[in-house]
Amino acid sequence: MLQLFFGFVFLSSVSQLQSLTGAQAECPLQLNPQRVVVRYGGSVAVNCKTSVLHKGIGWEAIEGAVPMTKNQNLITWRVLNLTEWDIKPFCYIFYKIGDKNQCIEELPVAVYKTPDSVSIRTVIHRGPMIEGQQYELQCDVHDVAPVEYLTVKWYKGHTLLNQTTFTDTIETPVNKAVTLLIRPNRADDGAQYWCEAELDLGAEGPQPPPKNSSKPLNVEVYYKPQHSSSTETIIKDDKVMLDCTVKANPAPDYTWSSDHLKEKISSSVIKSSALSPGKYTCTTSNSLGRDSKVFILKSTGTRHTFWTVLIFLHLLVTLIGVI
Ligand SMILES: *[C@@H]1O[C@H](CO)[C@@H](O)[C@H](O)[C@H]1NC(C)=O
Ligand SMILES: *[C@@H]1O[C@H](CO)[C@@H](O)[C@H](O)[C@H]1NC(C)=O
Ligand SMILES: *[C@@H]1O[C@H](CO)[C@@H](O)[C@H](O)[C@H]1NC(C)=O
């Protein structure tokens, strides 16, 4: 406590001095490394070295302070179990060059903690989504620090959709909720959305940066049937097949109408060699809507017609001859 108090008084006198001289860069102290990234509860060691004659050198910190010493040129700030989020250690030296006799070198420390959990959910909505409507997804990142280095990324399958960073400078762990607006279409039926929390702590931090992802959120999308073309012409041969099959969710129902159909058909495909040429309309529907498609069945009949006409003409000529 006494040390802390001393450090505080000392720091304020030093900053006064610095504001007078404006020459922090000339402080004859070298820190190695110059910046540290430590997991909460992890260990850290940083050297402070000087090559000038001095009257005392030391480390001031809430944990691991090194009392002032006169006999050494290298002292180490060391903590085995760092449990302080907002630790601002600095190395100081008392020396004499002209009017200046003391200075400090601050050590930037980032104490981090990966989130306890990352989860994804839909906001308000439950159950299948409807094509073309907007929905909100939320990603909850629980107990993470420091949020300044956090990036929350949204994915659909392997595709990155969006990402968010934070400007808060709070050092202690926080919870963060990020939302994403989506407007799913039929291609998104069965898609998996997920989010990921990444702590990118810089070159001094763990490599690769720690990432924690949510479980995937499986999205079911309802959409109405939609045929790629509204008419199709089919030339009649031995095997006639009218295929009206189309994707829709929920699975659609089919109804056929035609002057040539006697019975009701509710399958998506008509397979028959006995269909007469003509127009067949298929209507596909589910709870979201309906779509129709017209099949025009034409007989192969060009040659057939030709012979019919020829025989008819022949008969006509014969008849005229007889008369
Ligand atoms: C580190 O310190 C915390 C709080 O003082 C304690 O709960 C934890 O057990 C310590 N961990 C180790 C590895 O010593
Ligand atoms: C991505 O997220 C940012 C907020 O972090 C938002 O302003 C932006 O509109 C989003 N972009 C898309 C395409 O959703
Ligand atoms: C988060 O990810 C880190 C490594 O990237 C891992 O050590 C940690 O256990 C993960 N946390 C959870 C809650 O899965």
Side-chain angles (χ1 to χ4, degrees):
M1 219 45 204
L2 200 65
Q3 224 172 22
L4 252 177
F5 177 72
F6 168 76
F8 195 74
V9 172
F10 177 79
L11 187 59
S12 38
S13 64
V14 167
S15 38
Q16 271 167 12
L17 194 81
Q18 275 169 359
S19 57
L20 280 176
T21 61
Q24 191 179 2
E26 287 166 25
C27 189
L29 291 174
Q30 291 95 47
L31 302 185
N32 187 23
Q34 288 176 311
R35 172 183 181 251
V36 285
V37 172
V38 201
R39 188 175 47 78
Y40 184 80
S43 68
V44 62
V46 176
N47 289 331
C48 179
K49 199 175 111 186
T50 187
S51 48
V52 301
L53 288 172
H54 62 87
K55 290 181 272 178
I57 181 173
W59 273 105
E60 192 53 60
I62 303 170
E63 288 180 22
V66 180
M68 190 169 83
T69 167
K70 288 179 180 167
N71 310 322
Q72 282 167 295
N73 286 333
L74 188 149
I75 54 170
T76 305
W77 174 63
R78 196 190 302 275
V79 181
L80 291 177
N81 178 4
L82 185 67
T83 53
E84 194 61 51
W85 295 105
D86 185 12
I87 194 158
K88 301 235 181 309
F90 61 88
C91 185
Y92 60 86
I93 188 168
F94 287 87
Y95 67 112
K96 187 83 185 164
I97 299 173
D99 296 338
K100 206 178 162 192
N101 66 2
Q102 52 185 214
C103 67
I104 66 163
E105 201 64 59
E106 285 178 49
L107 175 71
V109 180
V111 183
Y112 75 92
K113 179 190 166 302
T114 56
D116 285 344
S117 70
V118 178
S119 59
I120 186 173
R121 64 186 177 90
T122 49
V123 179
I124 305 167
H125 182 80
R126 290 276 172 278
M129 299 179 176
I130 292 169
E131 180 177 49
Q133 294 195 2
Q134 183 171 276
Y135 298 92
E136 191 174 16
L137 304 183
Q138 183 168 318
C139 182
D140 291 296
V141 181
H142 211 77
D143 215 26
V144 63
V147 77
E148 183 186 352
Y149 300 104
L150 176 70
T151 304
V152 177
K153 295 180 178 178
W154 288 97
Y155 290 90
K156 180 172 77 181
H158 296 295
T159 310
L160 177 66
L161 298 176
N162 203 358
Q163 60 184 58
T164 307
T165 52
F166 305 87
T167 49
D168 327 30
T169 50
I170 183 163
E171 269 113 355
T172 50
V174 293
N175 302 331
K176 281 287 171 187
V178 183
T179 59
L180 178 76
L181 291 175
I182 59 165
R183 201 179 284 279
N185 61 34
R186 54 191 58 214
D188 297 324
D189 186 29
Q192 293 192 322
Y193 288 86
W194 52 285
C195 60
E196 180 181 74
E198 181 179 321
L199 273 178
D200 192 352
L201 295 143
E204 297 86 0
Q207 301 299 334
K211 292 175 183 175
N212 296 86
S213 26
S214 71
K215 290 204 183 91
L217 175 77
N218 293 299
V219 166
E220 183 179 10
V221 181
Y222 275 178
Y223 55 97
K224 63 184 178 190
Q226 205 160 35
H227 291 283
S228 53
S229 62
S230 57
T231 58
E232 187 176 335
T233 303
I234 289 176
I235 308 298
K236 184 172 159 63
D237 57 17
D238 292 346
K239 306 178 287 282
V240 172
M241 182 164 90
L242 308 183
D243 188 351
C244 187
T245 311
V246 70
K247 275 178 130 184
N249 191 20
D253 296 323
Y254 297 89
T255 53
W256 292 86
S257 64
S258 172
D259 296 341
H260 308 291
L261 290 175
K262 285 170 205 86
E263 65 211 50
K264 241 182 105 177
I265 296 176
S266 60
S267 67
S268 61
V269 179
I270 301 180
K271 237 182 199 162
S272 166
S273 52
L275 286 180
S276 325
K279 220 171 94 175
Y280 296 82
T281 304
C282 160
T283 301
T284 314
S285 62
N286 69 4
S287 53
L288 281 119
R290 55 177 53 216
D291 194 31
S292 294
K293 178 168 178 175
V294 177
F295 292 85
I296 296 163
L297 184 60
K298 284 190 171 162
S299 64
T300 27
T302 41
R303 183 173 306 185
H304 188 243
T305 315
F306 173 76
W307 285 115
T308 316
V309 171
L310 205 68
I311 291 165
F312 177 75
L313 283 179
H314 182 76
L315 282 173
L316 200 69
V317 170
T318 317
L319 197 67
I320 290 167
V322 168
I323 291 166

